[in-house]
Amino acid sequence: MKLRYFFFGICLVAFLSCKKDKTSVKQTTETPITRDLSEIKKDGKLKVLIAYSGTSYFLYRGRPMGYEYELLEHLAEHLDLELEIIISNDLDELLTSLKAGDADLVAYGLAITNDRKKLAAFTDYLYVTEQVLVQKKPVNWRKMTLDDIKKSIVQNPLELIGDTVSVRKNTSYYKRLRNLSTEMGGEIIIDTLQGNLSTAEIIKMVVDGKIKYTIADKNLATINASYFPILDTGVPVSFSQRIAWAVRPNATELLDATNSWIRDFKRKAEYNVLYNKYFKNKRRFKKRVKSEFYSINTNEISPYDDIIKKNSETIGWDWRLIAALIYQESRFENEASAWSGAEGLMQMMPGTAEDLRVTDRLNPNENIRGGVTYLKQLHDGHADINDSIERIKFTLAAYNCGYFHVKDAQKLAELNGLNPQVWDNHVAEMILALTYPKNYVRKEIKYGYVNGLEPFNYVNDIFERYNHYIKFIKE
């Protein structure tokens, strides 16, 4: 910043007298981002801008879920890329952020409009919907006849003339209200809301009486109305619209690859199952919305958060990382047991429990206290690893397959010219190699065979889940 003002000071006269130079600087600053699929492949990550909402991307009972999120998992697997989720803080700025290079893809239910096509290239549509008016029935609607309910609410968009409807500004809803005013020859007053509000949150504002009306896509409005039956979503205000994702106009390789995948995936039964799961299954939606462990409602991961937080002080780790491990072990099911004899939330073995004086492995307090104590022992056993994140990865691997198998993998890394203090692409590869006789029968290897795929995936899965947790759950 200081350098910029220094430059401004010594060049003020020239700057003011030479508009061509100013234009030239602006053009340089706005050079289009050219990152396409070939560059993304080199990077190994598909960066996706997504909305935090009850249908797109959320956390439920420790598991990341959402229509867009699950589709993206399939797409990333198809493209052989790591998925990097970026949550948008302002839904009105999705396409602006895309243009700026903050992400490669916007995975949010955007209606394809001519105005938006000037800013981005849209994929093949994912589904077709229409916009509907979201309004509240009278408080005593259950005691009223259907005809009386209809008489008390808007039944035709013409009735909105002179009234106020609340929507975010940079949405197809806003544009549709403007067009409706023109078509009907009377003004609908548009109350513009903040860009950080999701459609579901705005619908809830209607329920709470904070706003009178809003507009939403029918599938979103209908699924929310299944939980809030006081809502009426039966008045259409638009024709059918195609809903799609967006990429930068010059990302033609990514667009072609994504479209090819969409066409193939939509032909599979799994696509309809996924759509129904989030937009038509009213029972599952109601169950999520009522849950204390639905991240839209609360800042909780599991019923055991307080116990995890307390015991995390023992090892000095972020409690959300330990929660990610516990989900991996038991899905937070306290009665979980394995063929090996492991039991409880952290799947403690009988011998380990005895060593740590855990008398009841199905007692959440005892199990988590003992499990974290064991983690600390393994963590202390890797004190020679200086990098804190690497040390955690080695600790997690040891928790899964055993401390000495990890030590064998470190030894094998040395023998193969790899770094024994780095997990990814070094010791992790050697833990996989210990699956094969040519490696585990070597005289330098003391503890023999290990199913290396388990600890390899275990570490990756826990860190991936942890990255989701820190997006949703604030300290």
Side-chain angles (χ1 to χ4, degrees), residues 2 38 57 61 90 164 217 242 329 346 384 422-423:
K2 289 180 180 179
S38 53
Y57 179 52
R61 294 189 173 274
D90 189 339
T164 301
D217 291 340
R242 296 170 299 157
E329 290 288 346
M346 296 189 72
D384 59 317
V422 174
W423 178 256

Side-chain angles (χ1 to χ4, degrees), residues 52 54 57-66 277-278 283-298 300-302 327 331-332 469 472-473:
Y52 173 35
Y57 179 52
F58 58 90
L59 196 68
Y60 176 57
R61 294 189 173 274
R63 177 186 170 192
M65 297 180 68
K277 175 180 177 180
Y278 289 105
R283 188 175 67 84
R284 294 179 77 171
F285 181 78
K286 290 177 183 178
K287 185 178 179 181
R288 285 202 305 271
V289 173
K290 289 179 180 179
S291 174
E292 295 177 1
F293 311 109
Y294 176 50
S295 61
I296 304 294
N297 292 342
T298 66
E300 297 180 64
I301 298 175
S302 77
Y327 181 90
R331 304 296 191 268
F332 297 119
Y469 286 4
F472 293 118
I473 308 299

Side-chain angles (χ1 to χ4, degrees), residues 380-444:
D380 291 344
H382 289 101
D384 59 317
I385 297 174
N386 297 321
D387 184 274
S388 60
I389 300 300
E390 293 297 334
R391 189 174 175 187
I392 288 172
K393 290 181 177 181
F394 278 84
T395 301
L396 294 176
Y399 192 90
N400 175 261
C401 71
Y403 176 79
F404 293 106
H405 284 305
V406 174
K407 285 297 180 185
D408 272 351
Q410 286 182 279
K411 172 59 70 175
L412 194 59
E414 286 181 9
L415 294 171
N416 284 279
L418 299 173
N419 191 334
Q421 292 203 339
V422 174
W423 178 256
D424 293 323
N425 301 316
H426 291 264
V427 177
E429 297 302 319
M430 295 301 97
I431 204 86
L432 288 171
L434 286 174
T435 304
Y436 304 105
K438 67 177 182 179
N439 296 307
Y440 66 71
V441 298
R442 296 181 62 162
K443 63 180 180 181
E444 298 91 348

Side-chain angles (χ1 to χ4, degrees), residues 317-360:
W317 288 9
D318 185 336
W319 73 274
R320 294 167 296 183
L321 178 59
I322 297 173
L325 180 152
I326 294 174
Y327 181 90
Q328 186 75 18
E329 290 288 346
S330 64
R331 304 296 191 268
F332 297 119
E333 295 174 10
N334 187 49
E335 305 292 325
S337 60
W339 63 268
S340 60
E343 280 190 332
L345 292 167
M346 296 189 72
Q347 289 293 278
M348 189 172 295
M349 294 292 288
T352 306
E354 185 177 351
D355 291 343
L356 297 171
R357 299 179 182 178
V358 172
T359 56
D360 183 1

Side-chain angles (χ1 to χ4, degrees), residues 170-228:
N170 290 340
T171 61
S172 57
Y173 311 140
Y174 181 90
K175 182 75 172 178
R176 183 60 193 139
L177 288 171
R178 293 284 299 271
N179 290 341
L180 267 177
S181 292
T182 302
E183 292 164 11
M184 297 187 303
E187 183 185 7
I188 300 171
I189 302 166
I190 305 176
D191 168 35
T192 53
L193 301 173
Q194 295 177 353
N196 62 351
L197 292 170
S198 69
T199 302
E201 288 175 301
I202 296 171
I203 290 173
K204 182 64 163 56
M205 291 171 71
V206 175
V207 175
D208 296 338
K210 295 177 180 178
I211 58 175
K212 191 174 181 181
Y213 306 114
T214 193
I215 305 293
D217 291 340
K218 185 177 180 178
N219 56 346
L220 288 171
T222 302
I223 196 68
N224 278 276
S226 71
Y227 184 71
F228 300 111

